[in-house]
Amino acid sequence: MKVSETGEFGLIARLQKMIEKAGVANAPGLLIGIGDDCAAWQCSGKTQLTTVDSMVEGVHFTLDTITWRELGWKALAINLSDIAAMGGVARYILINLALPDDTETEDIEELYRGMIDLTKQAKTAIVGGNISNAPQVSITITVIGESLNDRILKRAAAKPGDAIAVYGWPGIAAGGLAMLMQKLKFAKEDATYFKNAFIHPVPRLEEGQVLVKNGIAAGIDTSDGLISDLRHICEASKVSARINVADVPVHEILKKNFKDKATEMALSGGEDYNLLFTGKVNIIDRIKKQLEFPVHIIGQIISGEPGKIDIFSAGKPVKLQNTGWTHF
């Protein structure tokens, strides 16, 4: 059945039933959820966090490379990752859908199943949203969160002398995107690994909270690419950075399948949604023991021109052709 036949309120009713049945309609402090003009909740005394992001068909995704359920997961994941980048706790989710009238109702239910899967994992709640007509699919999600304690991670908190550290393996999602868009053929296990990294990113909420608990002040998620996101930190903190290419972690699966392109993909490839942060070496060493995936120190924050990043390989400066994602 098409959404034009189901109707706006019929579709909302079906989705509300799914959300309530899945047990993701309530969260601490929630007073009114889906069904009223606004969602309403009682704020705690902690710092409130809000983020919003969109995925537009033909710009951020095509439905021939991603399933509706995968799309639901990813659309929510990129928003939850912003809360993780601040070391925060996700609380409430609002979803706005713009849909062509010939969209199948069952596809939208699959979209919501993907969102519900991640909502359960993140221990948060879907509390409202909106549905309207549009020429192509557009998904806009707002997530409301709060600080874990009295501190949050900020871009504007890096200091000269800080070590620069990255959590996880940068560039894997870029490998997944290249594989899907260029229709590259890899071994089955490798192809699955790349596809999951690009389509099924995991927002690092608990990991961001670990950073805050250990006193890290500066952080960001790696959505635009390692160098591009580091530049965001440096510009906000009015500092420069120095990176040693040999210290940048490049996963063996990336080296195996992309050969001499692997290192540049690790430096400039986006959509990994892991964490990049700065701090004292002894604190980073302590954090390494508390996280599941590896943490690598890749360089140092230095005084200098805000946003300037010097990249060195074997003591010689390196210039990248591509430094990360930009919308325009």
Side-chain angles (χ1 to χ4, degrees):
M1 184 181 294
K2 312 222 179 272
V3 294
S4 57
E5 299 172 286
T6 306
E8 176 187 357
F9 297 109
L11 181 57
I12 291 172
R14 291 174 71 145
L15 297 176
Q16 181 175 357
K17 186 176 180 180
M18 285 179 62
I19 292 164
E20 291 173 348
K21 185 176 180 180
V24 293
N26 293 295
L30 185 67
L31 304 175
I32 302 171
I34 298 171
D36 220 309
D37 288 303
C38 290
W41 56 84
Q42 187 68 48
C43 291
S44 69
K46 298 178 180 179
T47 300
Q48 300 298 296
L49 305 172
T50 307
T51 185
V52 61
D53 210 333
S54 297
M55 289 189 70
V56 179
E57 185 179 7
V59 177
H60 303 100
F61 68 91
T62 59
L63 290 167
D64 57 350
T65 60
I66 191 169
T67 68
W68 283 96
R69 191 164 188 158
E70 291 167 341
L71 179 58
W73 174 287
K74 184 166 185 177
L76 178 55
I78 63 178
N79 284 271
L80 290 174
S81 186
D82 284 338
I83 302 295
M86 307 289 283
V89 180
R91 290 299 185 203
Y92 312 109
I93 300 164
L94 297 160
I95 302 164
N96 181 70
L97 298 182
L99 306 170
D101 55 16
D102 62 350
T103 306
E104 296 291 342
T105 299
E106 292 75 15
D107 288 338
I108 301 308
E109 291 175 339
E110 274 294 287
L111 179 81
Y112 264 74
R113 287 187 183 98
M115 293 182 187
I116 287 168
D117 290 340
L118 183 51
T119 299
K120 286 181 176 179
Q121 182 172 307
K123 299 176 182 177
T124 181
I126 299 172
V127 300
N130 182 61
I131 297 173
S132 61
N133 181 259
Q136 74 274 347
V137 177
S138 178
I139 306 161
T140 299
I141 297 179
T142 299
V143 178
I144 311 294
E146 63 184 22
S147 61
L148 179 68
N149 47 38
D150 60 348
R151 298 188 301 272
I152 55 174
L153 303 177
K154 297 182 290 184
R155 298 182 183 188
K159 299 178 180 178
D162 279 358
I164 302 164
V166 61
Y167 172 76
W169 299 96
I172 304 297
L177 175 61
M179 181 188 73
L180 292 170
M181 297 304 292
Q182 299 173 33
K183 300 187 181 342
L184 303 177
K185 300 297 181 183
F186 298 143
K188 185 177 180 180
E189 287 186 4
D190 293 359
T192 299
Y193 191 82
F194 279 125
K195 183 178 179 182
N196 282 341
F198 177 65
I199 286 179
H200 207 264
V202 178
R204 303 300 181 181
L205 289 160
E206 292 183 4
E207 292 86 344
Q209 293 162 23
V210 167
L211 300 187
V212 167
K213 288 176 183 177
N214 280 277
I216 294 294
I220 193 170
D221 66 336
T222 53
S223 56
D224 294 336
L226 187 62
I227 296 302
S228 184
D229 288 312
L230 177 57
R231 183 171 290 111
H232 294 327
I233 288 178
C234 290
E235 288 173 344
S237 298
K238 296 180 173 55
V239 294
S240 296
R242 182 185 177 101
I243 298 296
N244 183 9
V245 171
D247 294 329
V248 175
V250 183
H251 199 291
E252 289 302 319
I253 196 171
L254 204 61
K255 295 178 184 177
K256 171 186 170 185
N257 291 283
F258 289 94
K259 306 289 189 287
D260 57 346
K261 296 180 181 179
T263 298
E264 184 156 354
M265 291 172 75
L267 288 166
S268 61
E271 299 201 59
D272 287 305
Y273 299 102
N274 282 315
L275 299 174
L276 178 69
F277 58 98
T278 78
K280 296 184 182 300
V281 172
N282 65 316
I283 294 177
I284 295 172
D285 286 341
R286 186 168 70 231
I287 288 169
K288 287 180 181 181
K289 300 174 183 178
Q290 299 174 32
L291 296 179
E292 178 183 359
F293 288 104
V295 173
H296 292 87
I297 291 177
I298 62 171
Q300 189 175 40
I301 297 295
I302 57 177
S303 298
E305 179 185 340
K308 187 174 186 293
I309 300 173
D310 295 321
I311 306 170
F312 289 87
S313 177
K316 297 180 180 179
V318 174
K319 185 174 180 60
L320 295 179
Q321 291 184 342
N322 176 27
T323 58
W325 167 259
T326 177
H327 285 280
F328 299 102

